[in-house]
Amino acid sequence: MSRFAHKVPEARGLGMTSQRARDRLIERLVGEGIRDRRVLDVLRQLPRHLFIDEALATRAYEDTALPIGQGQTISQPYVVARMTELLLDQVVPRRVLEVGTGSGYQCAVLASLVDQVYTVERIDELLRNARRRFRKLGLSNIRSRHDDGRLGWPDEAPFDAIMVTAAGSDLEEALLAQLAPGGVLVAPVGPPGKQDLLRVRANADGGWQREIVAAVSFVPLLGGVA
């Protein structure tokens, strides 16, 4: 049984939201190349159907992005798994900054794997909904902030890892400046239809090691607050 089911009975799900549906999703992710057992175990247990509108719950364990309102989406499970895998590749980060809370699903995945997650969301309604989900699931190692995510969270920097869940035209200098030496930033970059998922590692000498991982499609990284 999922560890979340002990706290939230509806986390167990029924039919298309049941554990069997989650297991089928994990089998598909393994078939698509996800290898990190820590990530797969969290995705197997975390009730994705609680992060989307009830009307879409039967699609929660399809490997697809789904709308969450305000012109935003909950990312495809494969993308969530791959980005998380990239963050954990060498050393498990202790403190992680997430830019773009959205539904809260990616943040909940991270919070199940690292000591502390700091998450920033520019849309107040999305953040309030995500906070309710975090409390419901007993995720107490998340700090959240309503602000322009492109600015990061300088008061809490540096971070061992940073994950950006929307695509900017380039990497944000403010975010790179908040990455600890040896830290890793994972972010989609580029215009719609021509985005790449990047992993950037901060070298001890102040330089950057930049790697293009895959072609992706994300909503744009916008400034300001709403």
Side-chain angles (χ1 to χ4, degrees), residues 3 106-117 139 141-142:
R3 63 190 176 91
Q106 174 70 81
C107 187
V109 171
L110 292 170
S112 301
L113 292 161
V114 307
D115 289 348
Q116 185 76 48
V117 182
L139 294 167
N141 61 332
I142 298 172

Coordinates of all heavy atoms in Angstrom, one line a residue, residues 3 106-117 139 141-142:
R3 N 2.4 4.8 1.0 CA 2.5 5.4 2.3 C 1.6 6.6 2.4 O 1.3 7.0 3.5 CB 4.0 5.8 2.5 CG 4.6 6.8 1.5 CD 6.0 7.0 1.7 NE 6.7 7.8 0.8 CZ 6.9 9.1 1.0 NH1 6.4 9.7 2.1 NH2 7.5 9.9 0.1
Q106 N 5.2 17.8 -9.3 CA 6.7 17.6 -9.4 C 7.3 18.0 -8.0 O 8.3 17.3 -7.6 CB 7.2 18.6 -10.5 CG 8.7 18.6 -10.5 CD 9.4 17.4 -11.1 OE1 9.5 17.1 -12.3 NE2 9.9 16.5 -10.1
C107 N 6.8 19.0 -7.3 CA 7.3 19.4 -6.0 C 7.2 18.2 -5.0 O 8.1 17.9 -4.2 CB 6.6 20.6 -5.5 SG 7.3 21.3 -4.0
A108 N 6.0 17.6 -5.1 CA 5.8 16.5 -4.2 C 6.7 15.3 -4.4 O 7.2 14.6 -3.5 CB 4.3 16.0 -4.3
V109 N 7.0 15.1 -5.7 CA 8.0 14.0 -6.1 C 9.3 14.4 -5.4 O 10.0 13.5 -4.8 CB 8.1 13.9 -7.6 CG1 9.3 13.0 -8.0 CG2 6.8 13.3 -8.2
L110 N 9.8 15.6 -5.6 CA 11.1 16.0 -5.1 C 11.1 15.9 -3.6 O 12.1 15.5 -3.0 CB 11.4 17.5 -5.5 CG 11.6 17.7 -7.0 CD1 11.7 19.2 -7.3 CD2 13.0 17.0 -7.4
A111 N 10.0 16.4 -2.9 CA 9.9 16.4 -1.5 C 10.0 14.9 -0.9 O 10.3 14.8 0.3 CB 8.7 17.1 -1.0
S112 N 9.6 14.0 -1.7 CA 9.7 12.6 -1.3 C 11.1 12.0 -1.4 O 11.3 10.9 -0.9 CB 8.7 11.7 -2.1 OG 7.4 12.2 -2.0
L113 N 12.0 12.8 -2.0 CA 13.4 12.3 -2.2 C 14.5 13.1 -1.6 O 15.6 12.6 -1.5 CB 13.6 12.2 -3.8 CG 12.7 11.2 -4.5 CD1 12.7 11.5 -6.0 CD2 13.3 9.8 -4.3
V114 N 14.2 14.3 -1.3 CA 15.3 15.2 -0.7 C 14.8 15.8 0.6 O 13.7 15.7 1.0 CB 15.6 16.3 -1.7 CG1 16.0 15.8 -3.1 CG2 14.5 17.4 -1.8
D115 N 15.8 16.4 1.3 CA 15.5 17.0 2.6 C 14.5 18.1 2.6 O 13.6 18.2 3.4 CB 16.8 17.4 3.3 CG 17.7 16.2 3.7 OD1 17.2 15.1 3.7 OD2 18.8 16.4 4.1
Q116 N 14.8 19.1 1.7 CA 14.0 20.3 1.7 C 13.8 20.8 0.3 O 14.7 20.9 -0.5 CB 14.7 21.4 2.5 CG 13.9 22.7 2.7 CD 12.8 22.6 3.7 OE1 13.0 22.0 4.8 NE2 11.6 23.0 3.4
V117 N 12.5 21.2 0.0 CA 12.2 21.8 -1.3 C 11.7 23.2 -1.1 O 10.8 23.4 -0.2 CB 11.2 21.0 -2.1 CG1 10.9 21.6 -3.5 CG2 11.6 19.6 -2.3
L139 N 3.2 16.4 3.5 CA 4.5 16.8 3.0 C 5.0 18.1 3.7 O 4.7 19.2 3.3 CB 4.5 17.0 1.5 CG 4.2 15.7 0.7 CD1 3.9 16.1 -0.7 CD2 5.4 14.8 0.8
N141 N 8.1 19.1 4.4 CA 9.5 19.6 4.1 C 9.5 20.5 2.8 O 10.4 20.6 2.1 CB 10.5 18.5 3.9 CG 10.1 17.6 2.7 OD1 8.9 17.4 2.4 ND2 11.1 16.9 2.2
I142 N 8.3 21.2 2.6 CA 8.2 22.1 1.4 C 7.9 23.5 1.9 O 7.0 23.7 2.8 CB 7.0 21.7 0.5 CG1 7.3 20.3 -0.1 CG2 6.8 22.7 -0.6 CD1 6.1 19.7 -0.8

